[in-house]
């Protein structure tokens, strides 16, 4: 499609400059002046097509400003010399100004150029009709070339891989929620295990109390994992509340839910669900929790959500609910919709959360991401609505120009009113059917519209003869849109030829009318088809973006559940066992506590692994962190790092592989040595992690963000990830990625 747009721009501008050159030839100037004028027009056409019409051209660079200045000189300086023959040349300059200059300045310059051409025309002829005709035609051509050229540059961008920024936003949210919901709890479990070990003999009652705290934290952390992982799977509004009720009842909480609301917009439902999820996660952090009331009520144009519990004391080791950063973020989103979110304790010391939001607002600031690069342009992108509006303005401009031309031919009220009626009918068909992006072009109705346009174009020719005024370009453009390619171009040629033949016997200029028909037809076809293509591509891009985000959510839910679900379940079981062994077998209880602390520490590493796996990582920082962690675990580490500048994707994947490899060393190895090597050759980079102390019975992770998942990520980059366990207990993980 960009190639088609370039062809249309080339033909349209060549036709316009060709007509202008014809005027120069017929103006009676000398040969040298004619050559000068022709050279200026040729350079102008070249700049328009091969500079501004290139998709790779940076329209807002210093080079573009320089080219615009050259174009201005070539379009404006010859105007006093050629006068009337040159009056239409500045129109394309106005279109280029819209392309290059900042929006506010561009439209001012556009208006100045169009008004200046009209003023020159007034000085030349003094005819009001001539002035209006020049102004309308110049504005229409400038807008058409502007839209076509902008679409040339934006269509390729609409085809790029969708969803990068949206997925990046989801990844950041994953990392934030993991750190907030699970990081503190797991760290608290590890520290409390060390405290319980010291209290086992001297203060068994206090040790049992601490074990109860550990058990509560672990259960709530497991509930947090389930809530987060389930929360990123798409469910209906009612399913959200059923899931919430199930999670609270599983935690031993008596839940009462009351829903009294009407039809809610998607934005309001999305925000209610987000507040509900975060509120319930905070509820699960409370100790002595027995009851929870969740109420949604709608009164007139406001909907409210209330979450109230009977708990008075927070869960040990967890932050105050009112200080939860998740609620701070949600409060900003609620405020963007004109609502309010209040969280804290009312006077009776019960934890409460109250959301109030107007239901009439349709626009939500719900953290959606903008496609990469959306805010980097000096001027906004062409939206579908704005492009369609410009296309409609161009079509209306063609009709206005035709009416002005009609007024120059005849003053008969009957001819004028009838011809205007035909023109308005043509315009309505064009705007209300042919040029609508959602119109099915290859349908029976489209063929009927094509026949009606043909009648409206040629019937005035039969009625008015020499005073025939119509817009056959609409018919020619519609043929290109509706008919199959061979028939379409054959029909286009027939329409253009018939217009030239008809004008041969009339008082008009056959060549000029023929060129005008070609230009109008191509502009009509090009604008309509490009706007339809842009609309379809953007709709497809939005769907693909949503698919990409949903895939990332599912992958996150899977990784989170696979990595942390088992660890937290093990902590709960071992804590219950340690509580039973506390007085009967204190030594074994101490052993279980040590294993609980180790499991919590590894689970915390898993939290960091999942969170970091969704961000761009630094290989240097990851190597330093790996060395520090392994050294703290009394493992002798040897690092050999020999690599240069790596692409972001390669660096991130290798850093993730390094982190997973180190996690496996800590989790599965009983050895004392580990060697980490990163070596870059000409076209590949190799990461190798070798450690001892492994056995054949050691269970290596194969799901989630483990070896299998990392192998998929390495393979995506065209690389290969391999593992090898030798009989002597030496384990090697090797990732080779092309650069």
């Amino acid at each position: 499609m960009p190639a088609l747009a370039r062809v249309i721009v080339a033909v349209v501008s060549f036709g316009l400059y060709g007509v202008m050159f014809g005027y120069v030839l017929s103006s009676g100037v000398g040969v040298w002046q004619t050559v000068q004028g022709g050279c200026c027009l040729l350079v102008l056409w070249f700049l328009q097509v091969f500079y501004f019409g290139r998709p790779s051209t940076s329209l807002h660079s210093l080079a573009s400003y320089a080219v615009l200045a050259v174009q201005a000189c070539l379009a404006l300086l010859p105007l006093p010399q050629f006068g009337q023959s040159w009056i239409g040349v500045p129109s394309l300059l106005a279109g280029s100004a819209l392309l290059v200059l900042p929006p506010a300045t561009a439209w001012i310059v556009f208006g100045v150029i169009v008004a200046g051409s009209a003023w020159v025309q007034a000085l030349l002829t003094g005819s009001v009709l001539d002035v209006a005709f020049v102004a309308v035609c110049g504005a229409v051509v400038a807008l058409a070339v502007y839209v076509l050229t902008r679409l040339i540059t934006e269509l390729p961008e609409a085809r790029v891989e969708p969803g990068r920024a949206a997925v990046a936003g989801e990844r950041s949210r994953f990392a934030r929620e993991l750190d907030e919901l699970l990081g503190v709890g797991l760290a608290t479990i590890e520290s409390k295990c060390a405290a319980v070990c010291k209290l086992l003999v001297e203060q068994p009652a206090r040790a049992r109390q601490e074990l109860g705290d550990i058990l509560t934290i672990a259960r709530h952390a497991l509930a947090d994992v389930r809530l987060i992982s389930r929360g990123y799977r798409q469910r209906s509004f009612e399913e959200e509340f059923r899931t919430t009720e199930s999670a609270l009842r599983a935690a031993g909480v008596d839940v009462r839910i009351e829903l009294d609301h009407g039809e809610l917009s998607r934005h309001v439902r999305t925000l209610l669900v987000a507040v509900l999820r975060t509120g319930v996660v905070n509820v699960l952090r409370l100790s002595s929790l027995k009851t929870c009331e969740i109420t949604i009520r709608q009164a007139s144009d406001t909907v409210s959500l209330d979450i109230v519990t009977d708990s008075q004391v927070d869960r040990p080791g967890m932050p105050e609910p009112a200080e939860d950063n998740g609620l701070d973020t949600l409060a900003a989103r609620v405020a963007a919709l004109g609502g309010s979110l209040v969280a804290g304790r009312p006077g009776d010391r019960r934890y409460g959360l109250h959301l109030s939001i107007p239901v009439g607002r349709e626009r939500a600031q719900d953290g959606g991401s903008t496609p990469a690069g959306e805010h980097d342009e000096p001027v906004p992108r062409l939206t579908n609505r704005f492009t369609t509006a410009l296309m409609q303005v161009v079509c209306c401009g063609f009709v206005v120009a035709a009416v002005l031309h009609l007024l120059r031919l005849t003053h008969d009220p009957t001819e004028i009113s009838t011809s205007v009626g035909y023109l308005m009918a043509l315009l309505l068909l064009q705007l209300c059917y042919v040029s609508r992006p959602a119109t099915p072009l290859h349908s029976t109705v489209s063929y009927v519209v094509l026949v009606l346009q043909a009648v409206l174009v040629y019937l005035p020719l039969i009625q008015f003869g020499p005073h025939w005024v119509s817009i056959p370009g609409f018919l020619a453009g519609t043929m290109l849109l509706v008919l199959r390619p061979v028939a379409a171009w054959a029909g286009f040629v027939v329409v253009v030829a018939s217009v030239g033949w008809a004008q041969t016997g009339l008082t008009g200029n056959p060549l000029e009318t023929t060129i005008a028909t070609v230009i109008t037809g191509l502009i009509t076809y090009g604008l309509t088809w490009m706007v339809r293509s842009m609309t379809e591509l953007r709709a497809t891009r939005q769907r693909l973006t949503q698919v990409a985000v949903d895939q990332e959510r599912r992958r996150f839910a899977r990784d989170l559940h696979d990595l942390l679900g088992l660890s937290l379940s093990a902590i709960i079981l071992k804590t219950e066992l340690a509580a039973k062994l506390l007085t009967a077998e204190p030594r074994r209880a101490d052993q279980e506590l040590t294993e609980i602390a180790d499991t919590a520490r590894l689970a915390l590493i898993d939290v960091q692994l999942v969170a970091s796996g969704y961000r761009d990582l630094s290989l240097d920082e990851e190597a330093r962190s790996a060395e520090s962690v392994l050294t703290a675990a009394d493992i002798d580490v040897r690092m050999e790092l020999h690599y240069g500048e790596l692409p972001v994707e390669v660096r991130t994947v290798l850093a993730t592989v390094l982190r997973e490899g180190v996690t496996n060393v800590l989790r599965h190895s009983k050895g004392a040595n580990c060697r980490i090597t990163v070596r870059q050759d000409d076209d590949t980079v190799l990461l190798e992690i070798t450690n001892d102390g492994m056995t054949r019975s050691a269970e290596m992770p194969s799901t989630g963000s483990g070896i299998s998942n990392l192998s998929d990520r390495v393979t995506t980059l065209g690389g290969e990830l391999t593992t090898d366990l030798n009989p002597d207990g030496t384990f090697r993980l090797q990732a080779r990625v092309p650069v």
Side-chain angles (χ1 to χ4, degrees):
M1 286 305 298
L4 175 62
R6 291 189 71 189
V7 171
I8 292 175
V9 170
V11 174
V12 168
S13 56
F14 187 82
L16 290 171
Y17 288 140
V19 171
M20 294 301 105
F21 185 65
Y23 289 156
V24 171
L25 287 174
S26 61
S27 64
V29 297
V31 175
W32 176 241
Q33 290 177 312
T34 302
V35 172
Q36 283 182 317
C39 290
C40 288
L41 293 172
L42 186 61
V43 173
L44 285 169
W45 177 80
F46 184 87
L47 293 177
Q48 193 70 47
V49 174
F50 295 100
Y51 184 80
F52 291 120
R54 280 190 316 174
S56 59
T57 296
S58 175
L59 295 175
H60 312 289
S61 61
L62 291 177
S64 294
Y65 281 97
V67 172
L68 180 65
V70 172
Q71 196 177 36
C73 293
L74 295 175
L76 299 178
L77 293 182
L79 189 56
Q81 181 179 5
F82 294 105
Q84 182 69 48
S85 303
W86 203 261
I87 197 65
V89 176
S91 59
L92 290 181
L93 174 64
S96 298
L98 292 177
L99 291 170
V100 175
L101 301 176
T105 305
W107 288 106
I108 293 174
V109 173
F110 172 86
V112 169
I113 293 174
V114 172
S117 298
W119 176 71
V120 172
Q121 182 64 47
L123 294 179
L124 293 173
T125 64
S127 169
V128 175
L129 290 177
D130 289 345
V131 171
F133 187 80
V134 167
V136 170
C137 289
V140 166
V141 170
L143 288 176
V145 172
Y146 163 67
V147 176
L148 285 171
T149 306
R150 282 292 302 273
L151 290 175
I152 289 172
T153 61
E154 293 198 8
L155 266 176
E157 295 178 7
R159 300 175 185 269
V160 300
E161 180 184 350
R164 292 177 181 173
V167 169
E170 288 297 312
R171 290 173 176 173
S172 297
R173 190 143 55 102
F174 299 159
R176 184 180 67 246
E177 292 197 4
L178 277 174
D179 288 339
E180 291 174 356
L181 297 180
L182 302 176
V184 175
L186 291 171
T188 302
I189 289 174
E190 186 178 1
S191 63
K192 281 183 174 291
C193 284
V196 172
C197 289
K198 297 178 181 178
L199 297 171
L200 277 177
V201 178
E202 299 178 1
Q203 302 182 45
R206 175 76 182 279
R208 189 175 299 278
Q209 181 181 352
E210 293 292 335
L211 279 176
D213 292 343
I214 292 174
L215 189 60
T216 300
I217 295 172
R219 284 173 175 169
H220 287 325
L222 183 59
D224 288 347
V225 167
R226 290 170 177 168
L227 273 175
I228 295 174
S229 62
R230 290 173 183 172
Y232 287 104
R233 296 184 181 125
Q234 298 299 307
R235 295 189 302 271
S236 68
F237 196 47
E238 291 72 18
E239 286 177 329
E240 289 290 346
F241 285 91
R242 287 197 295 269
T243 301
T244 297
E245 183 179 13
S246 175
L248 289 170
R249 290 193 186 282
V253 180
D254 181 22
V255 187
R256 291 191 293 273
I257 297 179
E258 179 183 346
L259 304 179
D260 181 16
H261 62 86
E263 186 67 24
L264 300 175
S265 69
R266 178 175 59 85
H267 296 310
V268 173
R269 289 199 311 270
T270 299
L271 198 51
L272 282 173
V273 168
V275 174
L276 175 68
R277 291 173 181 169
T278 303
V280 170
V281 168
N282 285 328
V283 164
L284 290 173
R285 291 180 174 184
L286 304 172
S287 63
S288 305
L289 181 64
K290 295 181 179 179
T291 65
C292 178
E293 299 177 6
I294 301 175
T295 306
I296 288 186
R297 293 190 179 93
Q298 183 174 352
S300 63
D301 60 347
T302 302
V303 64
S304 63
L305 167 64
D306 289 281
I307 302 176
V308 180
T309 74
D310 64 339
S311 181
Q312 298 184 13
V313 183
D314 288 358
R315 192 175 86 194
M318 296 304 295
E320 294 287 323
E323 297 176 357
D324 185 88
N325 292 330
L327 291 176
D328 292 339
T329 303
L330 286 174
R333 292 169 57 185
V334 172
L337 280 178
S340 62
L341 177 63
V342 179
R345 290 187 176 85
D348 61 358
R349 301 281 300 169
R350 297 193 305 164
Y351 177 70
L353 183 149
H354 175 73
L355 165 70
S356 177
I357 186 171
V359 296
R361 298 286 187 91
E362 290 300 324
R363 184 177 180 180
Q365 305 293 332
D366 53 2
S369 299
T370 306
E374 189 78 16
H375 298 300
D376 297 335
E377 287 194 340
V379 296
R381 295 179 186 271
L382 289 179
T383 63
N384 293 342
R385 183 176 298 179
F386 181 62
T387 309
T388 302
L390 287 180
M391 178 179 61
Q392 293 170 345
V393 168
V394 169
C395 292
C396 292
F398 285 140
V399 172
V400 172
V403 171
L404 292 173
H405 181 60
L406 174 66
L407 295 176
R408 296 162 72 184
L409 294 178
T410 180
H411 300 288
D412 186 335
T414 303
E415 290 186 6
I416 292 174
S417 59
T418 306
S419 296
V420 170
Y422 289 141
L423 291 171
M424 294 305 298
L426 268 175
L427 180 63
L428 287 175
L429 287 176
Q430 191 70 35
L431 297 183
C432 298
Y433 186 83
V434 177
S435 294
R436 288 180 62 244
T439 296
L441 293 176
H442 303 293
S443 64
T444 303
V445 177
S446 297
Y447 293 117
V448 173
V449 169
L450 187 62
V451 172
L452 289 176
Q453 280 190 324
V455 172
L456 294 171
V457 166
Y458 291 110
L459 186 58
L461 175 62
I462 300 173
Q463 286 185 270
F464 306 122
H467 296 161
W468 174 54
V469 172
S470 186
I471 311 177
F474 281 177
L475 175 61
T478 303
M479 284 186 170
L480 294 178
L481 291 167
V482 173
L483 301 179
R484 301 300 176 185
V486 176
W489 286 106
F492 186 90
V493 172
V494 168
V495 171
V496 172
S498 65
V499 169
W501 174 79
Q503 285 294 323
T504 301
L506 303 177
T507 57
N509 186 330
L511 180 60
E512 183 179 340
T513 306
T514 300
I515 293 176
T517 302
V518 172
I519 291 173
T520 306
L522 289 178
I523 288 177
T524 302
Y525 165 66
L527 286 179
T528 303
W529 188 249
M530 297 288 283
V531 169
R532 289 176 66 90
S533 299
M534 181 65 76
T535 302
E536 292 170 1
L537 279 172
R538 284 177 173 165
T540 301
R541 195 170 189 267
Q542 289 176 354
R543 290 194 296 269
L544 292 176
T545 296
Q546 187 59 49
V547 169
V549 171
D550 289 343
Q551 288 176 343
E552 193 70 15
R553 287 171 174 168
R554 287 191 294 270
R555 185 160 71 93
F556 173 76
R558 181 197 65 203
D559 292 347
L560 182 62
H561 186 271
D562 290 348
L563 279 173
L564 300 180
L566 182 61
S567 297
L568 291 171
S569 298
I571 289 174
I572 293 172
L573 293 174
K574 286 181 175 295
T575 302
E576 292 173 343
L577 178 60
K580 295 177 181 179
L581 298 172
L582 191 62
T583 55
E585 299 183 52
R587 182 172 298 180
R588 188 177 170 191
D590 182 79
Q591 181 181 353
E592 293 294 336
L593 286 169
T594 301
E595 293 183 4
I596 292 171
D598 291 340
T599 304
R601 175 173 56 84
L602 293 175
L604 186 58
I605 293 174
D606 287 339
V607 168
Q608 296 167 347
L609 169 65
V610 175
S612 300
Y614 292 93
R615 293 195 297 260
D616 291 340
L617 301 179
S618 166
L619 186 55
D620 291 339
E621 293 179 3
E622 198 59 43
R624 288 193 295 269
S625 175
E627 184 176 18
S628 174
V629 170
L630 291 171
T631 301
D634 294 327
I635 296 176
D636 183 27
V637 187
R638 285 181 292 169
M639 308 281 291
E640 297 178 14
L641 307 178
H642 305 286
Y643 61 92
E645 187 67 24
L646 300 175
V648 174
E649 296 84 357
V650 174
R651 186 174 66 240
T652 300
V653 168
L654 289 179
T656 307
V657 172
L658 176 58
R659 172 164 290 193
E660 174 67 9
V662 171
T663 301
N664 289 331
V665 171
L666 295 173
R667 178 180 294 163
H668 302 291
S669 174
K670 302 300 182 181
N673 300 284
C674 180
R675 186 180 68 200
I676 299 174
T677 303
V678 180
R679 184 173 62 253
Q680 182 178 359
D681 298 328
D682 293 337
D683 56 353
T684 61
V685 59
L686 173 70
L687 167 64
E688 187 175 83
I689 302 174
T690 304
N691 63 280
D692 59 1
M694 298 290 293
T695 64
R696 288 286 178 184
S697 61
E699 181 185 354
M700 298 300 296
S702 59
T703 59
S705 283
I707 299 299
S708 178
N709 197 17
L710 289 176
S711 180
D712 292 340
R713 297 183 67 175
V714 172
T715 304
T716 301
L717 295 180
E720 181 183 16
L721 186 140
T722 59
T723 60
D724 182 28
L725 178 59
N726 297 322
D728 62 355
T730 301
F731 179 79
R732 181 171 64 244
L733 183 148
Q734 190 177 84
R736 188 182 298 273
V737 181
V739 293

